[in-house]
Amino acid sequence: MDEPTWLFNQLLRAHHNACAAALARCGQGDIGSPKLLVALARYPDDPGRAPTQKELADRLHSAPATIAASLKVLERQGYVERRTDERDSRRNRISITRKGRDALEAGMRAFQTVDDHMYRGFTPEEREQIYRLHRRMLDNLYQIGGGQDSGCCPPPPPPQERKCDPC
């Protein structure tokens, strides 16, 4: 493995670990699938318009069994709820609960704190350049089968310099 690849892998791992630690400090360490909560939060609070488990799997480009296992845990913790579809009793619609929205909000603050710390000392121009380079790398990987932008999580805006705000 060459030096840039190794460094990039270390960066991803350190970011992941820092986010997990920040979530734990905020009392949100039990959320195993924040990406799933983000996807659910984008739907209106109308049970009839909530997604099915299959729609979530398609949107997140995940295996239905993976989504099912994650939803089971999130439901047991009170972050999501399943309701029988009024038009088709064989299907369940999945909704994020108030507890889930509150946890997601706290989690997003924790993620922002990690990012603020990671970019500390960078100029706005450097932050913009990093964003553009990462975006290009991601687009290049999408072209060779590295996954597709699911539309659930649009790319974030370039990072802005902000004062760190702990949970």
Side-chain angles (χ1 to χ4, degrees):
M1 182 179 307
D2 63 1
E3 185 69 22
T5 301
W6 179 85
L7 183 61
F8 193 72
N9 281 314
Q10 290 301 110
L11 176 66
L12 291 176
R13 182 172 310 209
H15 186 267
H16 173 81
N17 291 342
C19 285
L23 285 173
R25 283 192 301 273
C26 293
Q28 303 303 323
D30 65 338
I31 301 174
S33 302
K35 184 170 135 177
L36 196 48
L37 289 182
V38 169
L40 286 168
R42 295 190 184 280
Y43 286 92
D45 279 336
D46 176 2
R49 295 173 61 195
T52 64
Q53 191 170 303
K54 178 169 181 356
E55 290 167 344
L56 279 173
D58 291 345
R59 185 170 198 150
L60 296 173
H61 300 285
S62 293
T66 301
I67 296 297
S70 295
L71 286 174
K72 185 182 276 189
V73 172
L74 290 172
E75 184 178 27
R76 191 174 31 236
Q77 294 167 324
Y79 295 124
V80 302
E81 61 186 8
R82 298 172 199 251
R83 292 188 183 125
T84 303
D85 188 322
E86 293 175 0
R87 290 172 271 157
D88 184 350
S89 61
R90 295 170 297 174
R91 297 185 339 172
N92 287 316
R93 299 242 170 227
I94 315 299
S95 298
I96 189 170
T97 63
R98 177 78 262 157
K99 180 181 178 183
R101 286 189 189 282
D102 291 344
L104 181 59
E105 187 177 309
M108 297 308 281
R109 285 192 310 269
F111 294 152
Q112 186 61 56
T113 298
V114 169
D115 285 355
D116 289 344
H117 194 80
M118 180 175 67
Y119 286 110
R120 187 172 33 183
F122 286 78
T123 67
E125 294 78 19
E126 289 171 326
R127 292 164 73 111
E128 174 65 30
Q129 183 179 20
I130 290 169
Y131 171 81
R132 283 194 320 271
L133 293 171
H134 283 164
R135 190 71 229 174
R136 278 178 49 198
M137 293 164 76
L138 186 59
D139 291 342
N140 289 343
L141 290 171
Y142 283 163
Q143 291 174 12
I144 62 167
Q148 296 297 318
D149 192 354
S150 67
C152 121
C153 307
Q160 303 294 316
E161 188 154 5
R162 299 188 321 168
K163 187 174 181 181
C164 199
D165 178 24
C167 301

